[in-house]
Amino acid sequence: LDNPAAAAAFVGLLGALVMSGIPTSLLFANFGGKSGEVSAAVYGGAFVGMSAKNHVPNYLAFLATGVLAGGLSVALRGVFVDGIGGKYGAMAFLSVGIYKAARG
């Protein structure tokens, strides 16, 4: 897809649908019994895909920052107010910032 937002939506939706069919206990030991958290983390990680190539230059960097964004989303659950919005974008922003800081 030529549009970064559409591509991120497609990847996020596909990943979230695939991950929602896998029991949470098979993926991670402690998610508090919330089966949707894994698919939400995958969907949130897809928001990194909307970053410009000069910030995240290659597929490996996109994968790493996407995994980081998903991990941050899970680690910081409860910090953001549910239903207000902005959590996934903030996690993508933080993960790209962490990546850029680590790369120098």
Side-chain angles (χ1 to χ4, degrees):
L1 299 172
D2 291 334
N3 182 334
F10 176 75
V11 169
L13 180 61
L14 183 63
L17 289 174
V18 168
M19 296 302 279
S20 68
I22 299 172
T24 310
S25 60
L26 295 177
L27 297 172
F28 301 99
N30 183 11
F31 262 89
K34 296 180 181 179
S35 61
E37 291 229 23
V38 175
S39 58
V42 170
Y43 182 68
F47 276 55
V48 172
M50 291 185 272
S51 300
K53 287 184 180 180
N54 62 330
H55 295 296
V56 186
N58 57 49
Y59 291 118
L60 184 59
F62 271 112
L63 178 65
T65 52
V67 168
L68 180 58
L72 285 171
S73 176
V74 172
L76 296 175
R77 68 178 176 234
V79 172
F80 290 86
V81 178
D82 289 334
I84 300 298
K87 178 180 180 178
Y88 297 135
M91 296 304 105
F93 174 76
L94 284 173
S95 66
V96 171
I98 291 168
Y99 170 79
K100 288 188 64 96
R103 296 291 296 174

